[in-house]
Amino acid sequence: MPSSDLGLPEVGSVARDLIRFDTTNHGGGRAAGEREAAEYVGAYLEGIGLAPEYYEPIPRRTNVMARVPGRDRDKPALVLHGHLDVVPAIAADWSVDPFAGVVKDGMLWGRGAVDMKDMDAMILTAVADILRAGEQPERDLVLAFFADEENGGVEGSALVVENHPEWFAGATEAISEVGGYSIPIGDRHAYLLQVGEKALVWIRLVARGRAAHGSSLHADNAVTRLAEAVAALGRTAWPVTLTDTTREMTERLADLTGQTSGDPDAIAAATGAAAGFLRSTLRTTTNPTGLVAGYKHNVIPDRAEALVDVRVLPGTEEAALADIRRIVGEGVDVEVVHQDIGLEAPFSGDLVDAMVGALGRHDPGAPVIPYLMGGGTDNKALAALGITGYGFAPLRLPADLDFTGMFHGVDERVPIDALVFGRTVLADLLRTY
């Protein structure tokens, strides 16, 4: 159960407690593990009368699930899911200990405050509000908390879906992170509802050459060849390509901002700090993220490697890889390290209407806009079971907070009152949908 802190609402205490578990995931199987955080979640679920189940396919990579019976069990179940791992945080770069769960300036600080232990806490406490009141949600809820999302879910949700599909029996829809939050638009705000995700393609570029002494006149240098390929790919200006979701997003944003240029980039730029996040959804992105080469200062190595994080629009994966091979040119191999799928669902239907309605009841008059997220979530694993996923972690945020810039950033933090808002909106949704 959450540790006590006078004056801190329960949703803040739960989020803070989860942050204090160092669940760092370096990727490639190198992770601190989620076991203690999963056991904390399981204890909380037991405390509100539920019976959690655990699945640990790999030591310390723990997943936990509980089902909440609904009033109308003939309706399809709804999955609410979160992940318990976080990306690494270099403590020296932060102004606070990233795993201390510091509360200051009305905000909760720490790795996971935004991605996504805030939503984990909102899910838990929203369901607790319903059950403690002696009520039931409208339909069955499947509460799932996964390991390894920050590594593409290969040691988390992918294994859960493969080996325990019965956890999600009867479910057709899911909600999770990175949607439902507010962004400033001029002197007002709007909410972004995530109805799709770009596909993830992690690649490795490998350049080969001839080893030699560092003092030699040497044209066959693997490092030089790789550097040229990395620079060419990293500086590629990928063209804007609109999908159904991004076309509707830009049209609605244009109406709100008064932007009449018709240029999707200019329209997205009118959203202030969120612009970079939204502009990335309009095109393929190829960001180099790692370099490995050499073993001594005076030895020219015969091999050099780079890691590149590629995010492409749904359905364009193979075309993007063909373009990448053309850009890096001959002499550089493109190896696919991990690839998943893109997702896109219509901005319509009963669940979308219910999410929009719940936001409207608690923030009347604020527009809700669909968007395609540049990153990815465990919704991709659930899609293998025919479950349609959305991003709905409702947060009403101050206009001067660069919320989207905090995903995987330094000094990650979330306002406590935004967590309270999200808990309230989620509980309202679950009571009525």
Side-chain angles (χ1 to χ4, degrees):
M1 297 301 289
S3 56
S4 61
D5 191 337
L6 188 64
L8 189 64
E10 184 184 17
V11 65
S13 295
V14 173
R16 179 197 57 190
D17 290 351
L18 288 172
I19 287 169
R20 289 175 174 175
F21 295 107
D22 183 351
T23 54
T24 296
N25 187 353
H26 293 276
R30 298 180 300 115
E34 298 84 0
R35 182 184 292 167
E36 288 78 16
E39 290 172 345
Y40 173 94
V41 168
Y44 187 97
L45 294 169
E46 289 178 351
I48 58 175
L50 300 175
E53 298 179 32
Y54 296 90
Y55 178 49
E56 189 176 282
I58 297 168
R60 296 194 52 76
R61 310 312 304 274
T62 315
N63 307 271
V64 58
M65 182 278 299
R67 184 175 284 259
V68 185
R71 291 190 300 271
D72 187 347
R73 307 203 74 179
D74 291 331
K75 290 184 174 181
L78 176 66
V79 181
L80 285 84
H81 63 94
H83 62 85
L84 297 172
D85 62 323
V86 296
V87 296
I90 299 174
D93 294 340
W94 287 55
S95 64
V96 299
D97 181 342
F99 296 103
V102 172
V103 177
K104 68 172 184 174
D105 303 326
M107 296 191 184
L108 173 64
W109 299 57
R111 179 59 88 213
V114 166
D115 184 12
M116 66 167 292
K117 291 176 177 179
D118 58 339
M119 177 59 167
D120 294 335
M122 292 192 296
I123 292 171
L124 291 169
T125 54
V127 172
D129 285 345
I130 294 170
L131 298 183
R132 288 169 183 162
E135 302 171 358
Q136 288 180 281
E138 174 62 20
R139 63 185 67 217
D140 277 16
L141 305 177
V142 178
L143 312 180
F145 300 86
F146 295 119
D148 201 46
E149 190 273 347
E150 297 293 1
N151 186 47
V154 295
E155 295 185 351
S157 59
L159 295 179
V160 174
V161 165
E162 179 181 353
N163 298 313
H164 284 287
E166 73 279 2
W167 278 12
F168 310 100
T172 58
E173 296 170 314
I175 58 177
S176 187
E177 59 177 329
V178 202
Y181 58 90
S182 66
I183 60 170
I185 300 178
D187 58 357
R188 60 187 303 193
H189 64 273
Y191 289 90
L192 294 176
L193 178 56
Q194 189 252 100
V195 299
E197 306 177 8
K198 291 169 75 176
L200 179 153
V201 187
W202 282 338
I203 64 172
R204 179 185 292 111
L205 304 183
V206 181
R208 293 177 174 84
R210 181 170 55 84
H213 195 287
S215 66
S216 62
L217 183 64
H218 192 70
D220 192 14
N221 189 311
V223 176
T224 302
R225 186 171 292 123
L226 179 74
E228 290 169 343
V230 168
L233 188 56
R235 291 175 178 155
T236 294
W238 294 90
V240 170
T241 304
L242 298 181
T243 70
D244 290 344
T245 300
T246 54
R247 184 174 294 105
E248 185 171 0
M249 178 191 76
T250 54
E251 289 172 353
R252 290 178 180 237
L253 285 174
D255 289 341
L256 291 172
T257 61
Q259 171 63 247
T260 60
S261 69
D263 176 5
D265 274 323
I267 293 168
T271 63
F277 207 69
L278 295 184
R279 290 184 63 214
S280 73
T281 72
L282 305 175
R283 51 173 55 80
T284 292
T285 58
T286 48
N287 285 306
T289 55
L291 295 167
V292 178
Y295 52 90
K296 195 171 188 301
H297 210 129
N298 62 348
V299 178
I300 299 171
D302 61 1
R303 180 185 176 99
E305 301 179 2
L307 301 179
V308 184
D309 189 333
V310 182
R311 307 294 173 122
V312 304
L313 301 173
T316 68
E317 294 90 335
E318 294 310 313
L321 283 170
D323 284 337
I324 287 168
R325 291 187 174 96
R326 174 183 54 79
I327 291 165
V328 301
E330 295 182 3
V332 178
D333 295 332
V334 178
E335 300 176 355
V336 176
V337 177
H338 176 72
Q339 181 173 342
D340 63 24
I341 59 173
L343 303 174
E344 191 167 24
F347 185 57
S348 61
D350 291 343
L351 178 53
V352 169
D353 291 344
M355 291 186 286
V356 171
L359 284 170
R361 286 190 292 276
H362 296 276
D363 194 355
V368 181
I369 299 170
Y371 90 111
L372 181 78
M373 188 177 66
T377 75
D378 287 317
N379 279 329
K380 293 178 178 180
L382 295 177
L385 300 176
I387 296 171
T388 302
Y390 299 90
F392 189 67
L395 297 167
R396 184 170 55 198
L397 300 164
D400 60 351
L401 181 68
D402 182 9
F403 179 74
T404 58
M406 292 186 194
F407 285 88
H408 299 187
V410 173
D411 282 346
E412 189 178 342
R413 59 197 183 276
V414 64
I416 298 295
D417 60 4
L419 296 178
V420 174
F421 175 84
R423 171 188 187 175
T424 304
V425 173
L426 274 180
D428 187 352
L429 172 70
L430 302 178
R431 283 186 171 101
T432 55
Y433 176 68

